[in-house]
Every structure is written in C-alpha cells, then in structure tokens.
Amino acid sequence: MPYLSPALNVMTAAARKAGRPLIRDFGELENLQVSRKGPADFVTNADERTEKILVEELKKARPGYGFLAEEAGEIEGPDKTHRFIIDPIDGTTNFMHGIPQFCISIALEREGQVVSAVVFNPVSDEMFVAERGHGAFLNDKRLRVAQRSNLPDTLIASGAPFMGRDGQDLFLDELRMVINSTAGMRRLGSAALDLAWVAAGRFDAFWERHLRPWDIAAGLLLVKEAGGVVSDLDGRERMLETGDVLAANEALHRPLMDLLRKAKAGHSAA
Ligand code: 2AM
Ligand code: CA
C-alpha cells in the first residue's frame, strides 16, 4: 500500500473531487468536437473550475498554505514555509481533442523543497503519488524506474516547443540525435504524465525545455522516489527555475545528457 502522509491524503482527496466533473466534461467533449464553435471556451471553463475546486479543498484542509497555480498564479498564505503547486489540467490540448492523456498535478513544497506529489489521470483512474523518502506508487503498486541501460533499447519521451516558441530547431536536432540512438520516442503532450510514466518504467527517460513549475513539480518527485535521476540539461538541479528537465534511470541519465549536449553543440556550430 502507498505511504499516505496526512498532506498526501488531502491532496489525493482534492484530486479525486476535482476529477469527477472533469470526467463528465471529457465525455461531453465528444459532442463539442463536431460543433462549429469548437471546445475552446468549454475547456477554459473546465480548467478554471478544476483549479477552483482544488484550491478550495486544499485551503479547507491547510488554511495557511500558499499556492502557485497555473491560472491564479501566486497566492500567498500566512504560512510562508508551505506552498501547493498546481496544474489543474496538464495536457490541455489532449483534453480538448478527446485524447485521454491529461492529468491533475499537485505538489506540496516545504521550505522550498517538494515533499509530496500527486499526478492523477481521472479517465484511466491512475493515481500516482510520492512522499519524499517514502517511495512512489501507482494506485497500490510501488513504482521503480525501468532498468534498461543500453541506449538502443530505450523508449524516450519528450515535448516539442509549440507554435510561437523559440527552440524548435534545437529540438529537431535533439530529436534527430535521439531517434538515431534509441528504440524510439513518444510525444504524448502532458509533461506531468510523462514524468509519472518514467517513474512507472513505461518510458526509460523524458526531456523537455521551457516547462513551468506546475508542469513538473509533482512529476520530478515521482521519478526521484521511484529511484530515477532528475536534473536540468546542464546536470544541475535547477529544474523549477530553468524549466528544463531530463529524467531517467541512473545508468541512462549521463549518456542521454551527453547525447543532448552533442546535439546542442552541433546546433550551435551550424
Ligand atoms: P498544459 O497542457 O497545461 O498547457 C507539453 O509539451 C507540455 O507543455 C504540457 O505539459 C503542456 O501543459 C505545456 N504547454 C503549455 N502551453 C502549451 C501550448 N500552448 N501548447 C502545448 N503545450 C503547452
Ligand atoms: Ca501544464
């Protein structure tokens, strides 16, 4: 059984409560796909409502804590040592297209360090949890990162810089390098779930640049507690500041970082 600290209990309960209406919305989206207006407003409403439920539930249980949430931004609380970091729907584009690869992500930070993490996919009913020092779990199952160490056998996940963002050429150079050195890559569209899937050993590794703290705060702890290694792309641990992430098992982390560096060096030289 997972180790559920009191805080983690509160976080999973909030995620389940906010997840129920989200499942109903997801069902409705099938009809909206074919309407002329499209689902954009509907998705915005679902996003805002989900965040509101999460903040309400977490506030009820931990009135003093602060928040950093995707929609509301920074909400200060009297307790300066605790902060919830929330993404109400990570994988919004998937949600909008009726693809069941999205999640609610909640991390709890204590004195600047993430200590509890929840990543919940309400459609598949997969609840990923981790508590610092107590391991990572998927529902009732203890998680371990994959143990593959031979790069050509590995399946690697990433995210592409979307429209209007810098870095697309660099990403394509990195991608070329990775697909020529591994068994394949996937781009599933939710960074929080990508990290949870690394923790679960489904992906051998994940890298992406320019993410926001709420995309990755919970997922990074999941990977660490499943025995994986996380860093930014310079090998430092400033992921929440830089938004750059590389997550893998211990054997693969270094070779993958070298590979991505090689792509970047080639890119800069070009
Ligand atoms: P989101 O679904 O909460 O927006 C995928 O590469 C990651 O980038 C996701 O975690 C996604 O989070 C984030 N992202 C932020 N803005 C995006 C956008 N306009 N298009 C696609 N992904 C976006
Ligand atoms: Ca997100």
Side-chain angles (χ1 to χ4, degrees), residues 250-270:
E250 228 177 310
L252 288 172
H253 188 268
R254 185 80 226 185
L256 269 170
M257 191 153 67
D258 290 345
L259 199 67
L260 294 169
R261 279 192 171 150
K262 208 165 115 192
K264 192 174 177 183
H267 177 80
S268 307

Side-chain angles (χ1 to χ4, degrees), residues 103 118-120 126-129 136-138 143-145 190-203 206 218-220 222-223 226:
C103 65
V118 165
V119 170
F120 178 48
E126 289 190 310
M127 177 75 78
F128 297 88
V129 301
F137 294 82
L138 164 52
L143 297 180
R144 291 291 301 164
V145 290
S190 159
L193 275 178
D194 288 339
L195 286 165
W197 283 31
V198 171
R202 294 173 183 172
F203 292 140
F206 166 75
L220 291 171
L222 284 166
V223 175

Side-chain angles (χ1 to χ4, degrees), residues 135-250:
F137 294 82
L138 164 52
N139 297 336
D140 291 339
K141 207 177 104 224
R142 177 96 194 228
L143 297 180
R144 291 291 301 164
V145 290
Q147 296 304 305
R148 281 181 210 91
S149 54
N150 187 27
L151 215 44
D153 299 335
T154 59
L155 184 62
I156 314 292
S158 186
F162 39 86
M163 199 181 1
R165 282 282 182 104
D166 296 341
Q168 287 172 355
D169 290 340
L170 171 59
F171 172 73
L172 292 174
D173 285 348
E174 290 176 335
L175 185 59
R176 185 175 303 109
M177 195 70 93
V178 167
I179 59 185
N180 280 319
S181 312
T182 62
M185 75 84 58
R186 298 288 182 271
R187 193 274 193 245
L188 299 191
S190 159
L193 275 178
D194 288 339
L195 286 165
W197 283 31
V198 171
R202 294 173 183 172
F203 292 140
D204 296 293
F206 166 75
W207 95 94
E208 189 168 346
R209 296 173 185 276
H210 311 306
L211 292 163
R212 307 304 310 271
W214 44 81
D215 301 322
I216 53 176
L220 291 171
L221 183 64
L222 284 166
V223 175
K224 276 196 263 187
E225 287 298 323
V229 180
V230 296
S231 74
D232 58 26
L233 294 164
D234 296 322
R236 291 188 292 185
E237 290 202 35
R238 300 179 55 239
M239 297 79 73
L240 294 189
E241 292 87 54
T242 62
D244 298 349
V245 176
L246 172 62
N249 69 29
E250 228 177 310

Side-chain angles (χ1 to χ4, degrees), residues 75-124:
I75 307 171
E76 291 218 6
D79 178 345
K80 305 294 176 205
T81 60
H82 289 91
R83 181 169 78 151
F84 289 112
I85 304 177
I86 297 179
D87 196 339
I89 306 179
D90 187 61
T92 321
T93 307
N94 285 338
F95 179 75
M96 189 183 305
H97 285 258
I99 299 170
Q101 183 72 4
F102 61 89
C103 65
I104 291 169
S105 173
I106 312 171
L108 172 63
E109 213 178 46
R110 178 172 300 136
E111 278 157 3
Q113 189 168 48
V114 175
V115 293
S116 316
V118 165
V119 170
F120 178 48
N121 178 339
V123 180
S124 64

